[in-house]
């Protein structure tokens, strides 16, 4: 996929395989994270479902004691094929990226003609009882702003949680411009034309979304105001890149290499210290409104959205 907000059209340079964390290394780091107090893991990417051996990895991950929640973010292209295996591993929380309900516009946004495959994946997940099924929509003026109401209506008919994400200016070559940006409040006001939007209570495992439900709706609406309503004070995320770097903030290129000490065979105490350092060094504020956000070197596809 070459989503215009995430990946340059010509693709990205692939990292040599030996520089990418193996599944065994990922598991080891998750087991350590649990000791540091982490209880929730999200698998994202890149695209988690394209990596060979993903399901056996998921099985092992789901056996990690004290991990309370595992969830997955996917482009949905291979979801129909893998949904049952994912469910069998005990994982039923899933986020699928879908920025348009119009097959032709989907091609324009993603560069690929996979709309129907993604939709079939979502329907299969619903049939198998996944819950919640979150649909991530990056809101972009002039691209999919005319579909905000259609996505709102989708939550009336279906038990999906549609989450509108403010378009974030990450990566040097993404297509972000200020006139494409739609603030979360504007999305909310547009949605109010569909009927009363009831604000839902925020739970600690909800993540950054402000949640709402339209009257009589089966599903929910979430707003992720990453720019206008930045939730840095509540952000408890720590990202682990495929190259084995810990990243405390989506928007900051300050990373801690934990792969090298892991491969050097350093002891548990030493690795735990690095994890704690990454947690302690989480910035207070992403500062995106004060500096040029395009200075972020990595693309979202190599950080994990
Ligand atoms: N391949 C998976 C997928 O397509 O969902 C996981 C990786 S993708 C980077 C994770 C999420 O990041 C997607 O839901 C995508 O919409 C979001 N994302 C990527 N770039 C973004 C940007 N510039 N602004 C807002 N959200 C973005």
């Amino acid at each position: 996929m070459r989503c215009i907000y995430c990946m340059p059209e010509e693709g990205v340079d692939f990292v040599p395989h030996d520089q990418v964390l193996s599944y065994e290394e990922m598991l080891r780091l998750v087991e350590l994270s649990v000791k540091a107090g982490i209880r929730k893991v999200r698998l994202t990417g890149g695209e988690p479902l394209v990596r060979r051996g993903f399901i056996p990895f998921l099985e092992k991950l789901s056996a990690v004691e004290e991990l309370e929640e595992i969830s997955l973010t996917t482009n949905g292209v291979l979801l129909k094929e893998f949904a049952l295996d994912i469910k069998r591993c005990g994982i039923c929380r899933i986020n699928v990226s879908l920025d348009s309900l119009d097959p032709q516009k989907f091609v324009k946004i993603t560069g690929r003609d996979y709309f129907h495959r993604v939709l079939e994946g979502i329907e299969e997940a619903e049939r198998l009882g996944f819950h919640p099924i979150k649909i991530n929509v990056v809101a972009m003026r002039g691209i999919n702003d005319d579909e905000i109401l259609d996505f709102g209506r989708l939550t009336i008919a279906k038990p999906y949680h549609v989450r509108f994400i403010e378009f974030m200016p990450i990566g040097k070559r993404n297509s972000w411009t200020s006139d494409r940006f739609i603030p979360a409040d504007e999305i909310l006001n547009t949605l109010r034309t569909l009927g009363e939007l009831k604000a839902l209570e925020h739970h600690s495992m909800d993540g950054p979304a402000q949640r709402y439900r339209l009257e009589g709706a089966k599903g929910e609406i979430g707003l992720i105001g990453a720019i206008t309503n930045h939730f840095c004070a509540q952000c408890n995320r720590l990202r682990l890149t495929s190259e084995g770097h810990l990243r405390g903030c989506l928007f900051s290129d300050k990373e801690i290499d934990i792969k090298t000490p892991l491969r050097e065979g350093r002891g548990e105490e030493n690795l735990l210290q690095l994890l704690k350092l990454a947690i302690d060094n989480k910035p207070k504020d992403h500062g995106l409104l004060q500096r040029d956000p395009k200075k972020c070197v990595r693309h979202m596809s190599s950080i994990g959205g």
Side-chain angles (χ1 to χ4, degrees):
M1 303 279 259
R2 293 288 180 271
C3 302
I4 51 172
Y5 48 76
C6 192
M7 265 266 206
E9 207 176 325
E10 67 279 12
V12 289
D13 295 332
F14 285 111
V15 175
H17 199 69
D18 62 347
Q19 286 178 31
V20 169
L21 288 178
S22 67
Y23 283 134
E24 289 71 23
E25 289 170 330
M26 287 186 215
L27 265 175
R28 174 94 202 283
L29 291 175
V30 170
E31 280 161 1
L32 273 171
S33 309
V34 164
K35 291 188 183 167
I38 288 171
R39 294 285 173 271
K40 175 174 170 178
V41 167
R42 169 175 302 279
L43 301 158
T44 173
E47 173 50 42
L49 296 184
V50 296
R51 185 158 171 179
R52 197 180 310 157
F54 180 69
I55 297 297
F57 165 65
L58 209 52
E59 261 169 38
K60 291 189 188 120
L61 192 67
S62 59
V64 175
E65 277 180 33
E66 294 183 74
L67 206 53
E68 289 167 16
E69 196 181 301
I70 302 173
S71 53
L72 178 69
T73 303
T74 171
N75 61 29
V77 177
L78 296 174
L79 184 56
K80 188 175 178 195
E81 203 172 317
F82 285 115
L84 187 57
D85 288 332
I86 297 170
K87 187 83 195 304
R88 281 199 184 120
C89 295
I91 284 102
C92 55
R93 305 179 70 89
I94 200 151
N95 288 45
V96 185
S97 303
L98 179 67
D99 305 296
S100 176
L101 297 170
D102 168 358
Q104 277 164 10
K105 205 190 288 178
F106 179 95
V107 177
K108 279 196 185 142
I109 296 173
T110 65
R112 300 286 184 269
D113 192 5
Y114 289 145
F115 175 79
H116 294 286
R117 283 175 68 164
V118 175
L119 207 64
E120 282 173 17
I122 293 172
E123 283 164 3
E124 179 69 357
E126 185 186 349
R127 197 182 65 76
L128 291 171
F130 276 75
H131 188 78
I133 297 173
K134 296 185 181 172
I135 300 198
N136 288 359
V137 183
V138 179
M140 295 168 282
R141 199 181 307 283
I143 296 181
N144 61 357
D145 50 340
D146 55 338
E147 294 192 66
I148 292 173
L149 293 179
D150 292 337
F151 275 109
R153 286 187 198 101
L154 184 68
T155 69
I156 300 178
K158 291 281 193 180
Y160 306 151
H161 295 192
V162 171
R163 292 148 42 101
F164 294 96
I165 308 174
E166 280 181 348
F167 189 2
M168 294 182 254
I170 287 197
K172 279 188 185 137
R173 286 172 294 164
N174 90 7
S175 59
W176 192 91
T177 54
S178 56
D179 47 351
R180 281 204 177 149
F181 175 74
I182 314 179
D185 279 353
E186 187 182 322
I187 301 170
L188 203 58
N189 285 336
T190 306
L191 289 165
R192 285 191 208 283
T193 62
L194 287 176
E196 197 197 334
L197 265 180
K198 205 172 155 217
L200 302 175
E201 211 183 312
H202 194 269
H203 301 291
S204 62
M205 292 293 237
D206 279 349
Q210 290 172 280
R211 298 164 49 223
Y212 298 87
R213 190 189 296 278
L214 280 162
E215 214 173 344
K218 291 186 179 158
E220 283 184 17
I221 288 168
L223 268 295
I224 304 190
I227 311 281
T228 58
N229 175 27
H230 53 92
F231 30 78
C232 304
Q234 294 102 52
C235 173
N236 57 5
R237 292 189 178 190
L238 189 62
R239 289 179 166 80
L240 176 65
T241 69
S242 56
E243 290 159 90
H245 292 186
L246 296 165
R247 191 174 169 111
C249 173
L250 190 56
F251 299 103
S252 162
D253 284 318
K254 283 190 190 135
E255 296 180 354
I256 295 178
D257 174 11
I258 195 166
K259 178 183 68 187
T260 306
L262 178 72
R263 289 190 177 172
E264 284 170 356
R266 301 267 186 90
E268 183 170 310
E269 261 319 298
N270 202 289
L271 297 171
L272 267 173
Q273 263 173 11
L274 286 178
L275 266 168
K276 287 181 181 155
L277 185 69
I279 295 167
D280 288 344
N281 281 351
K282 271 177 74 65
K284 283 204 165 61
D285 185 331
H286 62 43
L288 254 194
L289 299 175
Q290 291 92 49
R291 65 186 162 81
D292 180 1
K294 291 211 173 197
K295 294 234 165 81
C296 242
V297 176
R298 282 185 188 272
H299 273 270
M300 194 74 127
S301 56
S302 71
I303 305 171

